[in-house]
Amino acid sequence: MSQDFAPATDAQQDSLLWSVQWLAAYYNKPASAAVLYAGLPKEPKLTSQLALRMLDQIGMGVAWVERDLDQLFSYLFPVVLTRKDGSHCIVTERSSGKGAGSSYRVILPENGGEVTLSARALEEMYSGYALLCNPKPKLDERSNDCLPEPNKEGHWLFSTLWRYRHYFASAAMAALLANILTLASTFFTMNVYDRVVPTQAYVTLWSLGIGVFIAIIFEFVSRLVRAHLFDIAGKKADLLLGTMLFRQVLGIRMESKPQSSGAFANQLREFESVRDFVTSATLSTLSDLPFCALFLFIIYLVAGPLVLVPLCAVPIILIVSLCVQWPLA
């Protein structure tokens, strides 16, 4: 890094400014002296306070500290040291040794090169003050996109689900494709018994088999895509619903709060059950229900009165499921 910088010449004896530019370039924020001085008073020589303001305005967290040399730990490097003659240097690394046996890699602004100094030699020129510098942490602004607007009108549940309608629409298309491809195995069996077995048309059998195999693969992929879309939409909706719910809880007025904490917790639990239902895999099952009518209609076209068997089986299964679930509720 130091090779990209020219040494400070006699006409440019501001070693602190040179060190500030080096730190800016080291943290991928290169800036010229004119840029660093923008909005700041220009002085013949950079002062310690102006150096703090320079680095602060380019997004660096900085501070001057009074600290012994052995108290400058490795994770703080690089640091700018103030020398006893008023000039500055940059320490980039310390060897693994301890105490007087350690050595330091130091960049000297007067020659722009990097030298290795022993701890004793550096201690003799060190005044006791160092400039610590690190980039300021940045918040991920994408998190704001996930939070709902506090004053946005609309139902707390349906408006949230409507926000992710594109996911649900794509999942519905995947469900439509998967359920239509499910019929491939049924028509394959019918054609085998009607056309292949009586005539022993093995070429037709191979053609039908390959086609059904491809249809089964597409059906499997469609169901995976549907599950993935429901999972993404469910997670996003769960995040929004949870944020809206607990923001409402924290902002509730004391006179509106139920006197019983248990009743209040029970109300929150009921909201949680709604969230769990909306964001669970139940939506995948519900997306298949409309196609029951399609399957019953196809059975009626093919077998006529046999459609009464599944028509009677569906309510029986529902009644048995409710009877089993009732004691568990």
Side-chain angles (χ1 to χ4, degrees):
M1 185 65 68
S2 60
Q3 295 177 355
D4 298 333
F5 280 80
T9 60
D10 294 337
Q12 183 190 3
Q13 290 295 334
D14 199 341
S15 59
L16 182 55
L17 177 60
W18 190 93
S19 301
V20 168
Q21 289 182 277
W22 189 95
L23 288 174
Y26 178 84
Y27 289 108
N28 296 320
K29 300 176 182 290
S32 63
V35 173
L36 292 173
Y37 267 112
L40 300 176
K42 188 70 177 290
E43 297 186 2
K45 197 170 184 179
L46 184 64
T47 63
S48 58
Q49 293 302 317
L50 278 182
L52 294 179
R53 295 174 62 182
M54 278 184 178
L55 291 169
D56 180 72
Q57 69 182 6
I58 63 172
M60 307 296 295
V62 289
W64 286 102
V65 296
E66 184 178 6
R67 190 171 296 183
D68 294 336
L69 188 61
D70 56 357
Q71 294 298 315
L72 296 174
F73 302 107
S74 299
Y75 63 84
L76 298 174
F77 294 145
V79 297
V80 178
L81 301 185
T82 302
R83 293 185 280 186
K84 293 180 179 179
D85 60 359
S87 61
H88 300 80
C89 63
I90 302 172
V91 178
T92 60
E93 187 181 352
R94 180 172 58 189
S95 66
S96 58
K98 294 183 179 180
S102 61
S103 60
Y104 295 82
R105 298 185 67 85
V106 183
I107 298 177
L108 301 175
E110 51 265 26
N111 57 21
E114 191 173 36
V115 297
T116 301
L117 298 178
S118 64
R120 178 172 297 179
L122 186 60
E123 186 74 39
E124 291 177 355
M125 67 173 66
Y126 177 45
S127 67
Y129 291 92
L131 176 65
L132 306 183
C133 179
N134 263 314
K136 292 181 180 178
K138 291 184 178 180
L139 295 177
D140 192 349
E141 297 180 355
R142 295 175 299 175
S143 59
N144 295 329
D145 299 335
C146 300
L147 299 178
E149 300 176 9
N151 297 324
K152 187 175 181 180
E153 297 181 358
H155 192 270
W156 67 276
L157 175 60
F158 299 119
S159 61
T160 302
L161 297 180
W162 179 254
R163 182 173 182 174
Y164 301 109
R165 60 190 180 276
H166 303 295
Y167 290 101
F168 293 115
S170 300
M173 295 298 297
L176 174 63
L177 178 61
N179 283 278
I180 291 177
L181 292 176
T182 303
L183 300 173
S185 58
T186 302
F187 290 116
F188 171 76
T189 305
M190 292 176 55
N191 280 278
V192 168
Y193 281 110
D194 292 342
R195 292 180 173 84
V196 176
V197 173
T199 61
Q200 296 184 355
Y202 297 110
V203 176
T204 304
L205 177 62
W206 278 105
S207 301
L208 291 174
I210 294 173
V212 170
F213 180 73
I214 295 175
I216 292 175
I217 292 177
F218 275 102
E219 178 193 354
F220 177 72
V221 172
S222 299
R223 294 189 183 277
L224 288 180
V225 171
R226 181 187 63 176
H228 180 66
L229 291 172
F230 275 132
D231 184 57
I232 294 177
K235 289 180 179 179
K236 291 179 179 290
D238 181 64
L239 176 63
L240 283 180
L241 291 174
T243 303
M244 295 172 64
L245 175 61
F246 288 102
R247 185 173 61 191
Q248 188 71 19
V249 170
L250 294 176
I252 192 172
R253 298 179 64 88
M254 295 302 295
E255 61 267 19
S256 302
K257 184 178 179 181
Q259 295 182 356
S260 173
S261 300
F264 190 44
N266 188 49
Q267 292 178 0
L268 293 180
R269 192 178 301 111
E270 292 177 356
F271 280 108
E272 289 292 329
S273 63
V274 175
R275 284 176 53 197
D276 293 339
F277 173 78
V278 172
T279 60
S280 66
T282 310
L283 291 178
S284 298
T285 305
L286 292 178
S287 65
D288 289 331
L289 285 180
F291 298 97
C292 291
L294 173 64
F295 297 149
L296 292 174
F297 178 70
I298 292 176
I299 294 174
Y300 172 75
L301 292 179
V302 174
L306 287 180
V307 73
L308 296 176
V309 176
L311 276 177
C312 296
V314 169
I316 292 175
I317 293 174
L318 292 177
I319 293 173
V320 172
S321 300
L322 290 176
C323 292
V324 173
Q325 187 68 24
W326 189 272
L328 301 177

